[in-house]
Amino acid sequence: MSWIKDYVRTIPDYPHEGIMFRDVTTIFESDEAYPRMIDEFVAHYRDKGINKIAGIEARGFILGGAIAHMLGIGFITIRKKGKLPHDTHTEEYELEYGTDALEIHVDAINEGDNILIVDDLIATGGTAIAALKLINRAGGKVSDACFIIDLPELGGSNALTEKGCDVFSLAQYEGL
C-alpha cells in the first residue's frame, strides 16, 4: 500500500530540528487519493463487526467520519479537554514536555460497543492509548485502530497491540 506515500508531503525539521513531519493534508486535498484511502479502510473493516468509529481530534474526524458513513455506523468524537459540551470521561496522557488530556461524552458509547479508533498517524501511541482507555471506561471495546501512517520505531503500534488492539496502517516510515 505504498501508493499513499506518493501523496504525503514530507517537511524536514518541523516542528523541531531532526523531525521529518509527514503532512497528510495533501491526501485529503486529492480527489484521487482521499476516496481511494477511505475505500481501503472500509474494505479492511467491513466484516469485522465494528459498530462505531471513534475519531481522535482533529484529523481522525476527517478519516473517521467518512469511514463511518461508508460503513453505515455511528461516529464518536474524542476531543482535547474542554471542547465537549456535555458530561465527559477524561484521560490524561504523557507528552515529551508534560501531559495532555482527551475527553469523550459519557453517553457516547453503549455497553459492549465494538469500536474502531481512527487517527492520521501513530508515533508513540500516547494519544491512541488514552482513547482506548476512555472507550473502555465508557463500556466499549476496542479491537482495532487504524492510521494512515505508522512510525514503528517509536513503538506506538506495538504498545496498542500489547493492549489487545489490532493495528492497521496504509504506510510506514522509518525514523522520526
Side-chain angles (χ1 to χ4, degrees), residues 22 56 117-129 145-161 165-173 175:
R22 308 302 178 174
I56 300 173
I117 293 174
V118 178
D119 206 359
D120 63 325
L121 182 139
I122 185 158
T124 63
T127 307
I129 289 170
C146 68
F147 308 90
I148 300 170
I149 295 172
D150 181 6
L151 303 177
E153 290 179 28
L154 297 180
S157 53
N158 286 339
L160 275 175
T161 300
C165 181
D166 289 337
V167 177
F168 176 69
S169 63
L170 297 179
Q172 294 185 349
Y173 286 90

Side-chain angles (χ1 to χ4, degrees), residues 4 8 23 28 31-32 34 39 42 49 64 92 99 116 124 140 168:
I4 199 114
V8 175
D23 180 12
F28 302 149
D31 59 358
E32 178 183 310
Y34 181 67
D39 288 346
V42 168
E92 287 192 0
T99 62
L116 169 65
T124 63
F168 176 69

Side-chain angles (χ1 to χ4, degrees), residues 15-170:
H16 306 289
E17 188 172 330
I19 302 292
M20 299 295 282
F21 185 82
R22 308 302 178 174
D23 180 12
V24 298
T25 61
T26 49
I27 299 168
F28 302 149
E29 295 164 359
S30 169
D31 59 358
E32 178 183 310
Y34 181 67
R36 182 176 175 187
M37 173 185 65
I38 297 302
D39 288 346
E40 288 201 24
F41 284 126
V42 168
H44 187 80
Y45 289 105
R46 183 169 309 282
D47 298 318
K48 291 223 175 188
I50 305 293
N51 67 315
K52 287 188 181 169
I53 304 282
I56 300 173
E57 185 174 348
R59 291 181 190 99
F61 295 176
I62 298 167
L63 295 169
I67 297 167
H69 171 73
M70 296 294 291
L71 291 174
I73 60 178
F75 179 77
I76 300 164
T77 56
I78 297 180
R79 303 219 49 200
K80 303 265 177 158
K81 189 172 183 169
K83 301 286 186 173
L84 292 173
H86 187 53
D87 296 335
T88 60
H89 293 293
T90 303
E91 183 67 36
E92 287 192 0
Y93 61 100
E94 297 292 321
L95 300 168
E96 62 185 74
Y97 49 84
T99 62
D100 205 346
L102 294 176
E103 294 184 326
I104 190 171
H105 279 138
V106 295
D107 59 357
I109 295 170
N110 298 313
E111 189 72 31
D113 278 346
N114 187 19
I115 298 171
L116 169 65
I117 293 174
V118 178
D119 206 359
D120 63 325
L121 182 139
I122 185 158
T124 63
T127 307
I129 289 170
L132 182 143
K133 289 178 180 178
L134 277 174
I135 291 165
N136 288 341
R137 185 174 322 132
K141 178 185 115 185
V142 177
S143 59
D144 292 88
C146 68
F147 308 90
I148 300 170
I149 295 172
D150 181 6
L151 303 177
E153 290 179 28
L154 297 180
S157 53
N158 286 339
L160 275 175
T161 300
E162 289 171 6
K163 296 198 174 300
C165 181
D166 289 337
V167 177
F168 176 69
S169 63
L170 297 179

